[in-house]
C-alpha cells in the first residue's frame, strides 16, 4: 500500500510521503490529515490561486487539519 502524501500546514503544498519539510516553503509542519486537492497550472491567471495565496504551479490541499 502506498503511503499518503503530506500537506504543508503553512502553504498547503502537497509533498511526497517521505518529505521532512515542505518543498515549497520549507516548513516542517506536514500532515497526512488533509482533504481536497487542486492543481494550479498558471497561478497568475487563476482566481483560486489568488484566493489561496498561491504563486507557484503545483498541487495544493484545499483543507488541512
Amino acid at each position: 500500500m502506498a503511503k499518503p502524501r503530506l500537506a504543508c500546514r503553512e502553504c498547503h503544498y502537497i509533498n511526497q510521503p517521505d518529505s521532512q519539510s515542505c518543498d515549497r516553503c520549507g516548513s516542517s509542519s506536514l500532515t497526512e490529515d488533509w482533504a481536497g486537492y487542486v492543481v494550479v497550472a498558471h497561478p497568475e491567471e487563476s482566481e483560486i490561486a489568488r484566493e489561496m495565496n498561491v504563486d507557484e504551479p503545483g498541487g495544493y490541499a484545499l483543507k488541512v487539519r
Side-chain angles (χ1 to χ4, degrees):
M1 180 196 253
K3 291 171 60 176
R5 292 181 288 172
L6 303 172
C8 176
R9 286 188 175 103
E10 302 299 320
C11 71
H12 293 210
Y13 186 76
I14 303 297
N15 295 272
Q16 295 301 315
D18 58 348
S19 296
Q20 298 299 311
S21 62
C22 179
D23 291 337
R24 181 176 178 267
C25 74
S27 171
S28 60
S29 184
L30 304 177
T31 182
E32 294 178 359
D33 193 9
W34 58 275
Y37 183 80
V38 64
V39 175
V40 177
H42 302 284
E44 65 282 351
E45 299 171 13
S46 170
E47 194 166 320
I48 293 172
R50 275 191 291 280
E51 289 290 323
M52 293 181 69
N53 295 316
V54 167
D55 57 6
E56 293 183 35
Y60 295 87
L62 295 175
K63 185 175 184 181
V64 177
R65 296 177 193 107

